[in-house]
């Protein structure tokens, strides 16, 4: 088993789970920070994947990990929609925020 590649996938999954936790609490600064960590991990994964390949059993595990990452991402996007709408209104000078 090529644990190096799986370790990257698992680290990305953990970062996405942490992003979801932060999004659920409205901690968007943390979400952005973790997104940066994901970008770095993905870059490292791409470099490692040029030299290594997953075995068939590992590919199945990778698929399950990727499905969980995609579910996390979908929920994060759902949670971010209202925040992004508010940001759009603020940028257009139509703030709905009450001070």
């Amino acid at each position: 088993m090529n644990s190096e590649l799986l370790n990257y996938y698992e680290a990305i999954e953990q970062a996405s789970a942490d992003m979801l936790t932060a999004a659920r609490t409205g901690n968007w600064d943390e979400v952005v920070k973790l997104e940066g960590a994901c970008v770095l991990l993905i870059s490292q994964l791409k470099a490692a994947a040029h030299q290594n390949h997953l075995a068939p059993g590992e590919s199945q595990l990778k698929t399950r990990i990727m499905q969980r990452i995609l579910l996390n991402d979908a929920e994060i996007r759902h949670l971010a929609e209202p925040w992004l709408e508010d940001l759009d209104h603020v940028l257009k000078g139509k703030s709905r925020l009450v001070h």
Side-chain angles (χ1 to χ4, degrees):
M1 294 276 254
N2 188 345
S3 63
E4 179 185 5
L5 290 180
L6 287 178
N7 286 341
Y8 281 116
Y9 284 107
E10 290 170 346
I12 294 165
E13 178 188 9
Q14 184 59 56
S16 78
D18 293 344
M19 286 173 64
L20 179 54
T21 298
R24 285 177 175 158
T25 63
N27 187 348
W28 298 107
D29 290 335
E30 184 69 10
V31 172
V32 170
K33 177 182 144 195
L34 290 164
E35 184 179 27
C38 280
V39 168
L40 178 62
L41 287 166
I42 291 167
S43 174
Q44 292 171 338
L45 171 62
K46 286 179 182 179
H50 286 295
Q51 299 172 351
N52 302 295
H53 300 284
L54 295 173
E58 292 174 320
S59 292
Q60 292 172 355
L61 178 55
K62 175 194 125 181
T63 299
R64 287 192 299 274
I65 291 169
M66 292 299 298
Q67 288 170 338
R68 290 189 297 264
I69 291 169
L70 290 172
L71 287 172
N72 290 343
D73 182 65
E75 188 172 342
I76 292 165
R77 288 177 189 276
H78 176 74
L79 292 168
E81 284 174 9
W83 182 81
L84 291 172
E85 272 185 35
D86 288 343
L87 179 61
D88 187 48
H89 288 298
V90 169
L91 293 175
K92 290 179 180 177
K94 302 176 186 176
S95 177
R96 297 185 326 195
L97 302 175
V98 178
H99 297 286

